[in-house]
Amino acid sequence: RERRLAVSEAIARLKTGRYTVTRPLQLGALIAGAAPGLVADLGRYGDLVGDAFAIRDDILGVWGDPQVTGKPAGDDLRSAKPTVLLALAAEQVPPAGRTLLARCSAGLLDDAGVDALRESLLAWGVREAAETMIDELVGSADALLDALPIHPEGADALRTVAATAAWRST
């Protein structure tokens, strides 16, 4: 139940981003015969997009519509998963909110506590900070893509993938 941002980002990258975005992108490049340098560059691109995907997944896990996402909202809070959102909360929580965040970390939130923490995360600016992180990750990915020696149609397709991953609702 670590609440350091660097740890939460690493977990998100290794647990979600790499298998969802980075590795499939690299495998596709290898199958297409891409040079090792391009495969490595696509790995860096994939990590940026994968990180954005993972943060969006965290956001949907807290504020997503279960009818759309297919999973209950708030389970990540109830189970105190080491998400980027909770790491941001630990950095931004005002003194009055420390008890609520501590109850989350201890796995003691009931439905009312989950609702209270969900609202507090908004008030503390956590969702806004996470959305900013997504914007920055996609911007960095886009800038990296501009420097890669790939066909413009391929770059456009990768930009579409990035946008879909970063701003999806499911």
Side-chain angles (χ1 to χ4, degrees), residues 16-26 46-47 49-50 53 161 165:
T16 302
R18 288 253 167 106
Y19 77 80
T20 304
V21 180
T22 306
R23 296 301 182 232
L25 181 59
Q26 289 178 312
D47 279 349
V49 174
F53 177 92
V161 167

Side-chain angles (χ1 to χ4, degrees), residues 75-105:
D75 277 2
D76 289 353
L77 301 178
R78 192 171 284 104
S79 64
K81 285 175 74 174
T83 65
V84 168
L85 296 175
L86 288 176
L88 289 169
E91 291 179 352
Q92 297 175 207
V93 63
R98 290 190 184 131
T99 300
L100 181 59
L101 195 56
R103 288 184 51 76
C104 172
S105 292

Side-chain angles (χ1 to χ4, degrees), residues 12 16-21 46-60 134 137-138 161-162 164-168 170:
T16 302
R18 288 253 167 106
Y19 77 80
T20 304
V21 180
D47 279 349
L48 293 166
V49 174
D51 291 352
F53 177 92
I55 296 169
R56 176 61 59 206
D57 200 52
D58 290 349
I59 290 169
L60 291 173
I134 291 171
L137 287 162
V138 173
V161 167
T164 301
W167 293 292
R168 70 191 195 285
T170 60

Side-chain angles (χ1 to χ4, degrees), residues 8 12 15 26 28 43 58 68 73 80 85 95 98 107 111 118 135 137 139 148 151 156 158:
S8 295
K15 190 173 175 213
Q26 289 178 312
D58 290 349
V68 177
L85 296 175
R98 290 190 184 131
D111 289 345
R118 183 183 292 122
D135 288 341
L137 287 162
L148 298 183
H151 192 278
D156 288 344
L158 289 173

